[in-house]
Amino acid sequence: MKTESTTQPVIEARQLDLTFQTNDGPIHALKDVNLTVDKGDFVSFIGPSGCGKTTFLRCIAALETPTGGALTVNGMTADEARRNRAYGYVFQAAGLYPWRTIAKNIKLPLEIMGYSASEQEERVKKVLELVDLEGFGGKFPWQLSGGMQQRASIARALAFDADILLMDEPFGALDEIVRDHLNEQLLALWARTEKTIGFVTHSIPEAVYLSTKIVVMSPRPGRITDVIDSPLPRERPLDIRDTPEFIEVAHRVREGLRAGHTDE
Amino acid sequence: MALILNGDAELWAIVLLSLKVSIFAVLISALIGMPVGAALAVARFPGRRVLIVLMNALMGFPPVVVGLLVYLMLSRSGPLGVLELLYTPTAMIIAQVVLVTPIIAALTRQVVEMLAEEYSEQLRSLGVSRLASVPVLLWDARLALVTALLAGFGRAIAEVGAVIIVGGNINHVTRVMTTTIALETSKGNLALALALGAILIGIAVAVNAMVSTLSLQAEREGLRHA
């Protein structure tokens, strides 16, 4: 079905700029951002608040419009990609609607896209399994723990066949034990679905554990200070975090973050 | 009280006519008010703010004035005089539609706008345009919309000023609960007035009970799966 060659980058940003006009004057949210993301990459964006990591993710999702430079997603403009439903987006807060059950929440995109009732059922069942929430379809969001809600939110983003998954600090509000578990699950899910994932975080271990590519960003103006291609294997048990390779990558990320800070 | 208990035929005819007129009026108002309210909630165009203010102002429009305006439209020499609708139940329905539509439209706009905000980014990330999101929003707002309908019905059934002007309070034709109460009280026939008053209050309580049952039901739906 897909005609584009496998070598075409999934996301490509060239000299991307974004300036917000506010009452206090312009804010340079992104400056000269260049990045290429290939199919199947797991890319993390890491940096202190105000570094533009979420803004960049939102640009890819066409929820924000850059004021300069070029950005393509699946070879299209970001807005075309959005209208073509190229990506599933997991928001910072799970953003489940309290008046819909978990299954109904996951069905929302499917209803909009006009899937048949039986197809909807089938897909809900499949994605609930993927995120380890079998049997919770009939529950309401408030009956689930924070981690389970976030998993349901991921399931919603997976329900239709977007091959890009964009996640904005999805586990930021969760405690570390739950976060470890979800990170492990997310890697398993990524391996099974072969999706390209863009992931915003401010946790160094999380970024290093998950990513094949780590994008280190710094604020004022928001820009990329380092892009690290992870030497870690794709298969990663949790205890990989104690290996010298892991610690070395984490060290380089920390250095990148520090370098960004001394610029101020 | 004896009038109610004995099932006085004339009394019940009046009650039935009241219900018929107001239910029709609410249904027509819903058909107009809901799409208008939803459109105002999601569409962005110049003059939108003005329209919303106007609509909110219309919610509190004095029924007597609405009655007068509808009267002028429908009277022999009015633009719609040829239809000969004055002093018919249809005229009363028209007057009530004018009164109720702004209420339903304004409440729909509020509910849908709030929901649209909540759904906005999610729907945009799914490539859905603002107008295309209306059906989803209306469906998810259905409970609140039923409440809007009931609020409109409450206004319609309790209103006297407009229907007495355009209906004329003609016995067996356009005499409804409120107009009867007004008439019988001035005649000193307090028994009938009180009986109708009791029924009217009963309807108001029933409508309110339905509203709270609906929200309770929604809650229970949530608990059943617990």
Side-chain angles (χ1 to χ4, degrees):
Chain A
M1 275 213 353
K2 300 233 162 78
T3 51
E4 75 256 39
S5 72
T6 47
T7 52
Q8 185 197 37
V10 174
I11 297 162
E12 185 157 43
R14 286 288 159 260
Q15 286 150 28
L16 208 65
D17 258 291
L18 176 56
T19 311
F20 289 115
Q21 299 300 335
T22 71
N23 290 336
D24 303 327
I27 290 178
H28 212 158
L30 290 175
K31 183 176 187 276
D32 195 24
V33 168
N34 294 287
L35 186 72
T36 303
V37 176
D38 292 318
K39 185 162 172 38
D41 272 350
F42 195 127
V43 188
S44 283
F45 303 96
I46 188 166
S49 45
C51 72
K53 53 192 191 298
T54 293
T55 307
F56 184 44
L57 198 76
R58 290 172 58 84
C59 284
I60 297 169
L63 295 173
E64 221 69 78
T65 313
T67 43
L71 175 65
T72 60
V73 177
N74 279 349
M76 299 173 255
T77 69
D79 203 53
E80 279 168 353
R82 176 181 69 84
R83 277 182 268 125
N84 274 302
R85 291 155 185 165
Y87 64 83
Y89 201 102
V90 180
F91 293 90
Q92 224 167 76
L96 301 168
Y97 301 116
W99 48 86
R100 283 174 170 253
T101 60
I102 296 302
K104 278 281 192 184
N105 265 288
I106 296 171
K107 276 182 192 170
L108 178 73
L110 305 174
E111 284 168 10
I112 289 166
M113 295 175 191
Y115 284 87
S116 71
S118 58
E119 172 98 39
Q120 289 183 20
E121 285 302 331
E122 208 171 290
R123 281 171 179 260
V124 166
K125 192 170 171 301
K126 197 185 86 187
V127 291
L128 280 177
E129 265 166 38
L130 268 176
V131 298
D132 227 353
L133 280 179
E134 298 103 319
F136 287 93
K139 300 266 190 208
F140 281 83
W142 45 268
Q143 296 173 304
L144 268 55
S145 70
M148 288 164 98
Q149 286 185 22
Q150 204 50 266
R151 264 147 57 195
S153 160
I154 294 169
R156 176 174 58 189
L158 293 172
F160 53 105
D161 297 314
D163 47 13
I164 304 172
L165 186 58
L166 301 174
M167 309 174 84
D168 183 8
E169 288 190 45
F171 310 137
L174 305 174
D175 68 63
E176 206 148 341
I177 296 161
V178 176
R179 187 191 271 230
D180 277 355
H181 181 58
L182 289 181
N183 281 342
E184 216 179 355
Q185 283 185 312
L186 182 59
L187 273 188
L189 191 144
W190 170 63
R192 255 184 296 171
T193 57
E194 296 179 326
K195 288 187 192 283
T196 309
I197 298 183
F199 189 96
V200 167
T201 179
H202 52 227
S203 154
I204 297 174
E206 187 171 67
V208 178
Y209 176 64
L210 292 172
S211 322
T212 56
K213 197 192 275 285
I214 302 156
V215 178
V216 184
M217 300 180 74
S218 77
R220 284 175 290 273
R223 64 198 184 282
I224 294 177
T225 49
D226 196 7
V227 178
I228 303 162
D229 285 303
S230 176
L232 300 177
R234 286 174 89 96
E235 187 108 356
R236 298 173 187 181
L238 267 177
D239 53 22
I240 200 169
R241 294 181 298 183
D242 300 323
T243 62
E245 291 84 3
F246 186 97
I247 290 161
E248 201 186 303
V249 178
H251 178 74
R252 189 170 154 195
V253 173
R254 197 168 291 116
E255 288 291 294
L257 289 172
R258 198 170 297 150
H261 256 285
T262 50
D263 282 2
E264 280 176 44
Chain B
M1 274 312 114
L3 284 174
I4 304 176
L5 296 175
N6 296 343
D8 184 88
E10 194 177 328
L11 181 137
W12 287 113
I14 293 171
V15 173
L16 268 182
L17 181 67
S18 283
L19 289 174
K20 215 158 66 181
V21 166
S22 295
I23 288 173
F24 260 111
V26 168
L27 288 181
I28 296 170
S29 299
L31 286 181
I32 307 169
M34 284 189 180
V36 169
L40 275 175
V42 297
R44 292 287 175 274
F45 54 88
R48 174 176 170 270
R49 276 281 134 208
V50 178
L51 270 179
I52 289 174
V53 170
L54 207 73
M55 197 171 64
N56 288 341
L58 281 177
M59 277 214 291
F61 220 56
V64 181
V65 179
V66 169
L68 175 62
L69 293 176
V70 175
Y71 177 88
L72 290 174
M73 296 292 281
L74 297 182
S75 71
R76 270 298 146 71
S77 48
L80 300 175
V82 284
L83 300 175
E84 300 198 331
L85 287 174
L86 203 59
Y87 304 136
T88 64
T90 311
M92 303 199 298
I93 293 176
I94 292 172
Q96 291 194 347
V97 166
V98 175
L99 282 170
V100 172
T101 302
I103 296 182
I104 293 182
L107 291 177
T108 303
R109 187 205 50 94
Q110 269 174 23
V111 171
V112 172
E113 192 164 300
M114 213 181 62
L115 215 57
E117 218 161 276
E118 199 145 343
Y119 274 60
S120 156
E121 298 241 294
Q122 183 67 49
L123 292 179
R124 264 176 76 204
S125 80
L126 296 171
V128 180
S129 73
R130 293 186 74 87
L131 279 178
S133 65
V134 166
V136 179
L137 297 175
L138 283 178
W139 176 248
D140 271 23
R142 59 193 180 277
L143 270 181
L145 291 180
V146 171
T147 311
L149 287 189
L150 291 174
F153 180 76
R155 168 134 159 134
I157 195 98
E159 181 282 321
V160 56
V163 289
I164 208 162
I165 293 180
V166 302
N169 196 18
I170 302 166
N171 205 1
H172 301 306
V173 183
T174 56
R175 186 161 292 176
V176 290
M177 282 189 277
T178 51
T179 59
T180 314
I181 292 173
L183 177 72
E184 298 301 330
T185 306
S186 61
K187 278 183 1 193
N189 185 0
L190 291 180
L192 184 56
L194 273 173
L196 282 169
I199 294 174
L200 202 49
I201 289 172
I203 291 175
V205 171
V207 166
N208 268 304
M210 271 197 284
V211 174
S212 38
T213 312
L214 269 176
S215 38
L216 209 76
Q217 198 182 326
E219 238 170 82
R220 246 191 238 128
E221 225 159 75
L223 291 173
R224 198 174 10 171
H225 298 283

